[in-house]
Amino acid sequence: MNASVAGLVIEVIFFAIGLYVYLFARGFISFGKPEVRKRAEEFRKENATWMRLLGLALAAVMLLNIVFHVRELVAG
């Protein structure tokens, strides 16, 4: 596998992590068991502001990196 493609895969993984953190902070992602769901909801309520900002920033930066990386791969 080419190093450039490996870098692109890592960027996509970090984009997914940022998106997951943002969606969790907004409350769109929930868990199965009631006791786990309750603990996750308490954690989300306590840390929602910084997780929302961190997730959004990470996803935005990684999306730009992905766009530039794909553009570089297509150009040659």
Side-chain angles (χ1 to χ4, degrees):
M1 178 171 6
N2 192 339
S4 186
V5 174
L8 182 62
V9 169
I10 292 171
E11 290 170 356
V12 169
I13 290 170
F14 275 107
F15 174 75
I17 291 170
L19 187 63
Y20 179 82
V21 169
Y22 177 74
L23 291 176
F24 176 73
R26 292 292 310 255
F28 291 120
I29 297 176
S30 61
F31 298 97
K33 295 182 180 179
E35 57 272 358
V36 174
R37 188 179 308 135
K38 183 178 180 223
R39 281 194 336 233
E41 187 64 26
E42 289 173 4
F43 177 80
R44 186 188 69 79
K45 285 182 181 178
E46 292 174 7
N47 301 301
T49 302
W50 70 265
M51 285 192 328
R52 198 169 31 238
L53 293 173
L54 177 73
L56 191 59
L58 182 61
V61 169
M62 286 298 114
L63 182 62
L64 285 175
N65 282 339
I66 290 169
V67 167
F68 290 137
H69 207 132
V70 169
R71 199 168 72 179
E72 177 186 320
L73 286 174
V74 171

